[in-house]
Amino acid sequence: MTTSDQIAPDQTAATEEQLEQEGDIAADYLEGLLDIADIDGDLAMDVRGGRAYVSVEAEDAAALGSLSHPDTVQALQELTRLAVQNSTGRFSRLILDIGGSRDARQRQLETLVDRAIARLDEGASQASLPAMSSYERKLVHDIAADRGYVSESFGEGADRHTVLRRG
């Protein structure tokens, strides 16, 4: 993982209490959105790895179907982060999960890493993955490290992607 995927030096890590506050603010914001859209969902909050996590779940998984698409989750996460930042005055690294979307994305990323490793096993010196968010790149770095490979992020902004190499 490269330095730009970590907290910037001028940003201090949020305390556990601040992260819990972020989760509460995010939950209130999301509850309002769900009410407007007339979607039933239960909210769960957690703090781990220096981030607030908010999950939206429903007994009827189909009720969240339209919201659990990866692009929609990403957009809602950004809106929720902005709502938290507006309330706290601090940048938020909050993670949003809707209907198990994060677990599904984790499995997709594992498959991408496994395909990249197969290319390395076939003789490639390195294997590039598509551009993705900083959170997804962090997951890729963790998956690659668990499998004994080295990964590094390259590019800027929306083009930032991860490249895998042998360790």
Side-chain angles (χ1 to χ4, degrees):
M1 185 164 40
T2 62
T3 306
S4 60
D5 287 338
Q6 299 170 355
I7 296 173
D10 59 331
Q11 289 179 325
T12 57
T15 66
E16 185 95 6
E17 184 178 319
Q18 289 171 325
L19 292 173
E20 288 172 1
Q21 177 191 27
E22 284 186 19
D24 289 339
I25 294 166
D28 289 343
Y29 176 76
L30 290 165
E31 201 169 85
L33 285 178
L34 291 173
D35 286 345
I36 290 168
D38 196 28
I39 297 173
D40 290 327
D42 297 318
L43 294 151
M45 294 166 287
D46 191 17
V47 173
R48 60 183 186 265
R51 292 179 186 243
Y53 284 76
V54 178
S55 299
V56 181
E57 300 162 359
E59 286 184 33
D60 177 15
L64 299 176
S66 62
L67 295 179
S68 62
H69 184 276
D71 291 338
T72 306
V73 173
Q74 185 69 27
L76 288 171
Q77 177 177 277
E78 291 306 316
L79 287 172
T80 305
R81 285 178 172 178
L82 288 171
V84 169
Q85 182 175 342
N86 188 47
S87 179
T88 64
R90 294 185 314 271
F91 175 77
S92 173
R93 296 174 60 224
L94 175 130
I95 299 297
L96 175 63
D97 177 65
I98 298 176
S101 60
R102 292 290 171 188
D103 288 339
R105 185 60 177 152
Q106 172 82 22
R107 289 188 299 276
Q108 290 172 338
L109 293 173
E110 288 171 353
T111 299
L112 279 174
V113 169
D114 290 340
R115 288 181 186 154
I117 289 171
R119 291 194 309 267
L120 294 173
D121 289 344
E122 292 168 359
S125 61
Q126 63 183 28
S128 295
L129 277 70
M132 55 188 71
S133 72
S134 62
Y135 177 74
E136 291 172 326
R137 288 193 311 275
K138 186 229 181 285
L139 293 176
V140 166
H141 292 305
D142 292 347
I143 295 165
D146 287 346
R147 287 169 169 70
Y149 289 81
V150 174
S151 61
E152 191 173 354
S153 291
F154 291 95
E156 297 296 325
D159 294 327
R160 196 151 174 82
H161 64 282
T162 307
V163 175
L164 272 63
R165 296 186 323 276
R166 293 195 186 305

